[in-house]
Amino acid sequence: MDASTVTVAVWNIEADGGRSGEHRHAAIDLLASLKPDVFLQQEAKYSRERGEQLKYITEKQLRLRGFLSSPNPFIDADIATSLYLRPEMFQVVKQKPCAKTWYLHPCHVQAQLGDCPIPLNLASFHMCFFDAGTRLTEAGWLTTLAQPGMVTIAAGDTNSYPHRLEPISLPVWEKVTDRAHMVHRTVMDSSGIRRSDTGPDHALIDAEYVDLARHAADHLGSDGAGALAATAGFRKPQQGGPQRIDRGYAAGGAATALEHVEVIEHKDFDHALLLYRFNRTRLERMLTPSPRTATS
């Protein structure tokens, strides 16, 4: 923990590290070494079981306070998302229940950073894996956290692609042998050709979210080197190979506080860990109304 920074870790931990913690210890050990102040987890598959035992173990090991997304009783496999905060740094205002537009509910918490009067919205999300239309609706819900006056950091598994050209080429769908996956990750254009689904990213950027990795690559020099690296698909050549589907976004000026981005692969997991470091003073400035705003 560095008092001058706010460190946000984002990780889709495959199957929660296992019901019996087969791989979870490795994940938590790595996270503990990075000392995150915020941890946004996806695929918290077993964290509701046994009285939320895995959540409480994670709280103790990382010295953070944990939250789980609201259950979704309308799907067969309700896999939670989770969110952990450093209690000495954040005062929780409220945990907001999710709109039911999501296939897997996100975990959304409003918290005050120190004495800042404007709450910071934090959201851990996992977009639908099989349907582009559902993902676009889910992105639409995230845009409600980018309305004027709101400051938000939202991150997770988008199961879709950036709409801008990047160092990693998008899959060549004619060569992808997993044809179900091809349908899951594409949209059909007016001529009947399937294109990579970039709709969620496009919607979020149109709503004035900032893709944090893109911002780092464009503006942070060596601190953004490697920010656009692949985050998943390392062992799935039949699905088109590695791609940057796990992404973090910021709204309301939070991106201006970003100082450093890392993408950290781990041999035991199918998704990389994302690490974002924010300058605390600059972030606090975004969460404090200016004298003109306060008196108007």
Side-chain angles (χ1 to χ4, degrees), residues 35-106:
K35 298 181 173 60
D37 303 302
V38 179
F39 171 38
L40 307 180
Q41 183 193 349
Q42 298 76 53
E43 213 165 309
K45 185 174 183 178
Y46 303 115
S47 289
R48 297 197 208 281
E49 295 185 357
R50 295 169 290 179
E52 301 184 354
Q53 184 181 48
L54 287 182
K55 187 194 82 169
Y56 292 124
I57 291 172
T58 303
E59 286 182 318
K60 183 176 180 180
Q61 292 177 312
L62 298 183
R63 299 181 180 180
L64 305 177
R65 179 184 176 190
F67 303 84
L68 294 175
S69 58
S70 55
N72 185 350
F74 303 105
I75 63 172
D76 294 332
D78 179 25
I79 300 173
T81 52
S82 59
L83 189 157
Y84 297 82
L85 301 175
R86 188 168 299 285
E88 313 94 273
M89 182 176 284
F90 291 97
Q91 178 181 342
V92 173
V93 177
K94 62 175 68 173
Q95 180 178 10
K96 305 273 284 186
C98 172
K100 290 185 170 56
T101 53
W102 287 75
Y103 177 67
L104 300 177
H105 285 171

Side-chain angles (χ1 to χ4, degrees), residues 173 175-184 238-239:
W173 294 111
K175 298 180 180 180
V176 170
T177 57
D178 185 337
R179 303 310 284 168
H181 180 80
M182 180 275 296
V183 172
H184 297 164
Q238 75 279 12
Q239 295 184 350

